[in-house]
């Protein structure tokens, strides 16, 4: 009898302990209050502004002024990373186009810079064109291999990207470990991807920016894995190194929303970030807060604001991944979703982008066409959670319940990469 009582007490204690663990909030109001109160103008922004003024003051009007204009263009890109202002990236492009014209396409450095800028704008085909021109003029293999990997990887040429990754192999190189992590993530090797990204962080040495980029990516990968405490620690470590790291601050907001279920704190964080950047990213996160709350009126209002920003020609196709499902959802414009998804394929035809197109075709009741696209371009290829969900929808439309469930199960493995609307739908499909 005594043994039974002790067992009951132990089980009850373990259950209570488990409940406490599950209810423990990882992102606290006091920490966020302190972060916001002590947030000043980041040193990186001040240094960037000083550098901008320095190079701008050195620019001459004569045609031979290559170095100063190139440096100024590069510093504008740095400001884009800090401010989120797409106009800085466009201004950098303009300077580089002018240099290309003045020097009659003889400077490989100009094309390399245009390659980088094009990648940032998701103009991956264009990036490939510029890289070819740089190679024709002549660049070192140390520059060629990493950039070729980047262009091929984003264009879905995974086998070629893997070959270039092997060519640049250097276990003590930051760039190699960073790209190795991306490849492992693509292949579904999440634990390995985390290890490689952590190695990249360790190899950044005294470069605070590179270290914070790697740590922020580590945080994202831990979120993918559902390891929120480790994600939080990575984000905080990054913020301590680089107080301009707004991505990691938003990462804390996402943890507050999907793990802590603290939508008010998440909203506070995203609104704070929105005051510090001109990027539309925090506005998208606020739409997801509305989805979490199932506040359809506010979701529609903010989605319309987001649409007005990201469909401006200055952004090109940068935000298609996010606006397409909004057109299918609260914005209720599936024809627009289909047009954008089809247009995306002209710039980047990958299994992922074909999956967006399939989802848009389904929304327009074009099942046969969606099936053809799936069989030709998607079947058997690695997909991430969002695209797995889309293909699950395709299987469901074909009344292939078992197949649909398998895709939904695979998507659920990275549940926290998905929007609250999709997460709820998965819950209903898998646990009804």
């Amino acid at each position: 009898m005594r043994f039974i009582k002790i067992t009951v007490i132990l089980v009850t204690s373990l259950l209570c302990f488990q409940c406490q663990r599950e209810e423990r909030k990882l992102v606290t109001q006091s920490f966020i209050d302190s972060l916001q109160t002590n947030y000043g103008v980041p040193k990186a922004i001040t240094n960037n502004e000083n550098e901008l003024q320095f190079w701008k003051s050195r620019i001459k009007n004569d045609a031979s002024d290559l170095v100063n204009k190139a440096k100024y263009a590069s510093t504008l890109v740095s400001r884009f990373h800090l401010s989120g202002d797409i106009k800085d990236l466009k201004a950098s492009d303009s300077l580089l186009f002018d240099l290309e014209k003045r020097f009659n396409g003889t400077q490989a450095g100009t094309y390399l810079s245009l390659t980088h800028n094009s990648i940032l704008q998701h103009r991956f085909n264009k990036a490939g064109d510029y890289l070819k021109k740089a190679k024709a003029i002549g660049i070192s293999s140390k520059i060629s291999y990493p950039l070729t990997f980047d262009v091929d990887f984003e264009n879905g040429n995974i086998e070629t990207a893997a070959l270039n990754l092997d060519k640049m192999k250097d276990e003590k190189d930051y760039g190699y470990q960073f790209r190795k992590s991306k490849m492992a993530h693509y292949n579904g090797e999440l634990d390995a991807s985390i290890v490689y990204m952590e190695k990249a962080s360790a190899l950044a040495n005294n470069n605070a920016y590179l270290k914070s980029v790697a740590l922020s990516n580590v945080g994202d990968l831990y979120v993918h894995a559902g390891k929120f405490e480790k994600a939080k620690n990575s984000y905080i470590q990054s913020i301590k190194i680089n107080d301009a790291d707004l991505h990691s601050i938003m990462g804390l907001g996402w943890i507050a929303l999907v793990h802590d279920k603290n939508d008010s704190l998440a909203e506070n964080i995203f609104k704070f970030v929105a005051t510090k950047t001109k990027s539309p990213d925090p506005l998208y996160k606020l739409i997801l807060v509305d989805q979490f709350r199932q506040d359809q009126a506010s979701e529609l209002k903010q989605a319309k604001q987001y649409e007005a920003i990201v469909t401006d020609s200055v952004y090109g196709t940068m935000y298609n991944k996010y606006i397409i499902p909004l057109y299918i959802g609260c914005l209720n414009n599936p024809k627009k979703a289909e047009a954008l998804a089809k247009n995306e394929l002209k710039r980047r035809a990958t299994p992922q982008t074909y999956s967006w197109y399939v989802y848009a075709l389904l929304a327009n009741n074009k099942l046969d066409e969606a099936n053809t696209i799936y069989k030709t371009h998607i079947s058997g290829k690695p997909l991430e959670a969002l695209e797995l969900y889309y293909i699950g929808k395709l299987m469901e439309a074909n009344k292939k319940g078992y197949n649909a469930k398998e895709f939904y199960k695979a998507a659920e493995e990275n549940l926290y990469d998905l929007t609250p609307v999709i997460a709820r739908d998965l819950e209903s499909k898998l646990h009804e």
Side-chain angles (χ1 to χ4, degrees):
M1 193 71 175
R2 176 179 171 81
F3 173 76
I4 294 173
K5 285 181 179 178
I6 291 172
T7 303
V8 169
I9 290 168
L10 284 172
V11 171
T12 304
S13 298
L14 285 170
L15 287 172
C16 289
F17 176 69
Q18 184 64 29
C19 290
Q20 288 172 359
R21 285 187 64 189
E22 289 176 356
E23 292 173 359
R24 186 165 65 90
K25 307 300 183 188
L26 293 178
V27 184
T28 64
Q29 183 72 56
S30 58
F31 176 80
I32 297 302
D33 286 345
S34 175
L35 182 69
Q36 293 177 359
T37 300
N38 295 303
Y39 191 93
V41 177
K43 188 177 180 181
I45 290 178
T46 303
N47 290 344
N48 174 260
E49 192 59 37
N50 291 337
E51 193 175 354
L52 273 170
Q53 295 307 318
F54 173 78
W55 291 115
K56 187 176 182 180
S57 68
R58 290 174 62 91
I59 290 176
K60 302 168 187 174
N61 291 324
D62 62 88
S64 64
D65 194 7
L66 169 66
V67 174
N68 294 319
K69 284 186 177 179
K71 288 286 188 181
Y72 186 59
S74 174
T75 312
L76 282 168
V77 175
S78 297
R79 188 165 73 177
F80 164 74
H81 285 297
L82 292 165
S83 70
D85 192 345
I86 191 68
K87 291 178 182 176
D88 285 328
L89 206 48
K90 295 299 183 181
S92 175
D93 278 347
S94 294
L95 282 166
L96 294 169
F97 292 146
D98 181 60
L99 289 173
E100 179 193 26
K101 184 178 179 181
R102 286 176 181 269
F103 289 88
N104 199 26
T106 60
Q107 301 297 319
T110 301
Y111 288 122
L112 289 174
S113 296
L114 284 168
T115 302
H116 283 291
N117 285 11
S118 296
I119 290 172
L120 288 172
Q121 294 171 75
H122 293 197
R123 300 168 68 218
F124 301 115
N125 285 347
K126 201 67 181 172
D129 293 340
Y130 289 133
L131 183 56
K132 284 178 185 176
K133 291 180 179 180
K135 287 179 178 179
I137 295 168
I139 57 175
S140 70
S141 59
K142 192 169 184 178
I143 295 172
S144 175
Y145 294 149
L147 262 183
T148 303
F149 170 90
D150 294 341
V151 171
D152 282 331
F153 185 85
E154 297 297 348
N155 276 313
N157 303 321
I158 303 302
E159 291 181 5
T160 311
L163 288 173
N164 277 278
L165 182 64
D166 191 56
K167 287 176 183 177
M168 64 178 288
K169 185 175 182 179
D170 180 352
E171 297 294 340
K172 295 182 179 180
D173 178 64
Y174 173 96
Y176 173 69
Q177 294 292 352
F178 195 99
R179 290 169 175 84
K180 196 176 177 183
S181 174
K182 290 179 68 173
M183 182 62 79
H185 188 207
Y186 175 86
N187 289 327
E189 302 164 356
L190 187 52
D191 289 342
S193 180
I194 291 170
V195 169
Y196 300 143
M197 193 59 73
E198 287 178 332
K199 284 183 180 179
S201 172
L203 289 167
N205 298 321
N206 296 322
N207 190 317
Y209 175 74
L210 290 181
K211 194 171 187 70
S212 73
V213 168
L215 283 169
S216 190
N217 272 274
V218 169
D220 291 346
L221 290 169
Y222 275 129
V223 168
H224 295 324
K227 298 178 180 179
F228 290 102
E229 187 151 15
K230 289 185 175 182
K232 181 199 76 171
N233 292 338
S234 294
Y235 288 141
I236 290 175
Q237 193 179 349
S238 178
I239 294 164
K240 286 179 179 178
I241 294 168
N242 174 19
D243 55 356
D245 180 13
L246 296 175
H247 179 84
S248 286
I249 295 176
M250 283 204 297
L252 294 176
W254 189 243
I255 292 173
L257 184 67
V258 300
H259 176 272
D260 298 349
K261 312 300 182 187
N262 190 343
D263 53 296
S264 296
L265 183 57
E267 179 182 37
N268 173 283
I269 293 169
F270 298 143
K271 282 185 174 179
F272 171 77
V273 172
T275 67
K276 306 301 177 186
T277 181
K278 293 182 179 179
S279 165
D281 292 348
L283 178 55
Y284 179 73
K285 294 293 188 184
L286 287 167
I287 295 170
L288 302 188
V289 171
D290 288 329
Q291 289 187 4
F292 179 88
R293 293 169 171 166
Q294 300 187 58
D295 185 343
Q296 294 178 350
S298 183
E299 180 192 359
L300 178 58
K301 180 181 177 182
Q302 297 203 92
K304 286 180 176 178
Q305 293 174 4
Y306 183 75
E307 176 195 13
I309 295 169
V310 302
T311 57
D312 188 299
S313 59
V314 72
Y315 284 109
T317 64
M318 286 176 67
Y319 291 94
N320 278 356
K321 179 177 181 178
Y322 306 102
I323 195 66
I324 287 169
L326 288 176
Y327 276 131
I328 293 170
C330 66
L331 291 173
N332 193 27
N333 193 344
K335 288 184 178 179
K336 184 70 173 177
E338 182 182 338
L340 284 180
K342 189 172 185 178
N343 192 43
E344 178 75 24
L345 295 174
K346 296 176 183 178
R347 295 167 176 81
R348 178 172 48 153
T350 69
Q352 285 69 35
T353 54
Y354 274 115
S355 298
W356 307 351
Y357 188 43
V358 161
Y359 190 52
L361 289 169
L362 278 179
N364 288 284
N365 300 309
K366 297 180 180 180
L367 181 58
D368 289 343
E369 194 173 342
N371 282 328
T372 300
I373 295 294
Y374 170 73
K375 291 172 184 175
T376 308
H377 300 288
I378 303 170
S379 181
K381 305 290 176 59
L383 298 173
E384 294 195 19
L386 180 65
E387 291 77 29
L388 287 165
Y389 171 77
Y390 289 166
I391 302 307
K393 282 291 185 185
L394 175 66
M395 295 300 134
E396 188 177 347
N398 282 305
K399 303 189 185 306
K400 296 181 178 180
Y402 174 81
N403 302 74
K405 208 153 195 173
E406 290 303 299
F407 277 104
Y408 289 150
K409 284 178 183 176
E412 193 183 36
E413 289 180 11
N414 297 122
L415 183 65
Y416 304 106
D417 293 346
L418 302 170
T419 68
V421 164
I422 293 176
R424 272 195 298 272
D425 189 47
L426 277 181
E427 181 74 17
S428 68
K429 302 293 183 187
L430 293 173
H431 308 289
E432 56 191 8

